[in-house]
């Protein structure tokens, strides 16, 4: 079975005059499942050339000072281009440039991010700027579940178990379906062409990994379920805890 990517990717063009920053963006993009870097460049002229040439990223991430221009003439030039779509635009800038934000937004940017920023923050902003509806909900669920698993002691190991857990939580949270564990496992396996018992088995292995990690977060979940910190959660208890936390994160 090949790994499925159920989060639909957002395409983005990044323009930054700092070579080190471009390198970090490129490396981070290579490991990010949610954002596809259509181009990573250093000048406003390249941005305009690529748009005129037919490149259609959903998001433009533009530094306020590029190698050949500043943000104001670049935003005006983008607006003046005869292209059939309007990209979402994010502008990165130093805190000292805060007085320029109102003008930047007036010229077509949707939001700004102060430098220095973390790459997870930047990429999360890119996704949430472009996506909406079920596409955004699935992304938010997957981000919440991934963050919870890190706290509970699991990273990219047992990838298929993580994918099944993410899908099960998405079904429970966003589709608001009241399902038994068996029904939820069956539904979570459908996008992967996997039956319910195989999903249940993968979730059992994932739960065993978390139990062996013995993190304070896992021990706390045990205590909340009336167990000792040394006990092991059932798959149902783990799912219920992750679903509840995801509900809280999404405020739904």
């Amino acid at each position: 079975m090949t790994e499925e990517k159920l989060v639909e990717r957002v395409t983005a063009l990044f323009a930054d005059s700092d070579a080190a920053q471009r390198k970090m963006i490129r490396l981070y993009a290579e490991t990010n499942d949610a954002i596809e870097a259509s181009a990573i460049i250093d000048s406003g002229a390249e941005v305009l050339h690529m748009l005129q040439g037919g490149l259609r990223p959903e998001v433009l991430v533009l530094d306020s000072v590029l190698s050949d221009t500043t943000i104001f003439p670049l935003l005006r030039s983008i607006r003046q281009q005869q292209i059939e779509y309007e990209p979402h635009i994010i502008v990165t800038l130093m805190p000292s440039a805060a007085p320029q934000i109102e003008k930047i937004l007036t010229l077509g940017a949707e939001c700004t991010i102060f430098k220095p920023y973390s790459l997870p923050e930047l990429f999360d902003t890119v996704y949430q700027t472009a996506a909406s509806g079920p596409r955004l909900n699935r992304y938010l669920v997957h981000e919440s579940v991934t963050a919870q698993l890190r706290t509970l002691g699991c990273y990219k190991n047992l990838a298929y178990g993580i994918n099944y857990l993410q899908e099960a939580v998405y079904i429970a949270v966003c589709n608001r379906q009241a399902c038994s564990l068996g029904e939820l496992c069956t539904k979570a396996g459908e996008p992967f062409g996997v039956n319910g018992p195989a999903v249940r088995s993968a979730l059992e292995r994932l739960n065993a990994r978390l139990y062996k990690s013995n993190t304070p977060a896992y021990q706390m979940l045990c205590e909340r379920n009336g167990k000792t910190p040394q006990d092991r959660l059932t798959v149902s208890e783990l799912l219920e805890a992750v679903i509840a936390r995801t509900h809280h994160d999404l405020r739904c």
Side-chain angles (χ1 to χ4, degrees):
M1 180 181 72
T2 58
E3 184 178 357
E4 298 286 340
K5 302 296 184 187
L6 297 181
V7 172
E8 184 181 348
R9 292 183 121 191
V10 163
T11 57
L13 179 153
F14 298 85
D16 197 300
S17 58
D18 187 323
Q21 189 69 15
R22 293 197 305 275
K23 181 178 180 180
M24 288 190 293
I25 290 171
R26 182 174 293 106
L27 292 174
Y28 192 79
E30 289 174 357
T31 63
N32 189 277
D33 294 337
I35 306 296
E36 178 183 347
S38 301
I40 303 172
I41 55 183
D42 71 345
S43 72
E46 287 183 279
V47 173
L48 297 174
H49 177 73
M50 289 186 169
L51 294 178
Q52 291 164 354
L55 189 68
R56 295 293 179 264
E58 295 172 81
V59 182
L60 305 179
V61 182
L62 309 174
D63 190 17
S64 61
V65 180
L66 296 174
S67 62
D68 60 347
T69 187
T70 58
I71 193 62
F72 299 122
L74 179 56
L75 289 175
R76 292 189 187 99
S77 295
I78 291 171
R79 291 179 65 182
Q80 292 166 1
Q81 286 198 106
Q82 300 299 313
I83 55 178
E84 71 281 2
Y85 94 120
E86 293 186 8
H88 304 278
I89 299 176
I90 298 170
V91 175
T92 63
L93 68 165
M94 299 300 293
S96 59
Q100 300 175 342
I101 290 177
E102 184 176 351
K103 185 176 180 181
I104 288 171
L105 298 177
T106 300
L107 288 173
E110 291 193 29
C111 68
T112 59
I113 298 179
F114 285 131
K115 302 174 78 172
Y117 50 73
S118 71
L119 290 175
E121 173 196 7
L122 176 65
F123 276 55
D124 184 66
T125 302
V126 168
Y127 202 99
Q128 295 202 47
T129 298
S132 61
R135 184 187 190 193
L136 176 58
N137 287 338
R138 184 179 288 279
Y139 170 78
L140 294 174
V141 167
H142 282 219
E143 289 297 291
S144 173
V145 173
T146 299
Q148 291 179 66
L149 288 174
R150 290 195 189 102
T151 302
L152 290 169
C154 186
Y155 297 89
K156 286 290 187 179
N157 306 87
L158 298 174
Y160 295 126
I162 292 173
N163 285 345
Y164 299 148
L165 179 62
Q166 290 172 330
E167 185 64 11
V169 174
Y170 174 76
I171 292 168
V173 170
C174 294
N175 293 355
R176 304 182 186 279
Q177 297 180 1
C179 301
S180 66
L181 177 60
E183 292 171 332
L184 203 52
C185 288
T186 298
K187 290 179 181 294
E190 288 174 357
F192 306 92
V194 175
N195 62 32
V199 171
R200 172 70 179 265
S201 178
L203 293 180
E204 291 282 6
R205 293 195 300 274
L206 177 59
N207 187 38
R209 168 112 188 158
L210 298 177
Y211 169 70
K212 289 179 181 178
S213 296
N214 196 35
T215 62
Y218 192 87
Q219 294 172 4
M220 185 179 298
L221 287 184
C222 287
E223 291 178 334
R224 287 178 181 174
N225 281 276
K227 301 173 181 286
T228 71
Q230 290 71 43
D231 283 335
R232 179 168 164 176
L233 297 169
T234 66
V235 169
S236 292
E237 290 167 341
L238 175 64
L239 260 172
E240 288 173 5
V242 175
I243 288 168
R245 179 65 200 188
T246 305
H247 269 295
H248 176 270
D249 290 346
L250 272 63
R251 301 294 191 272
C252 62

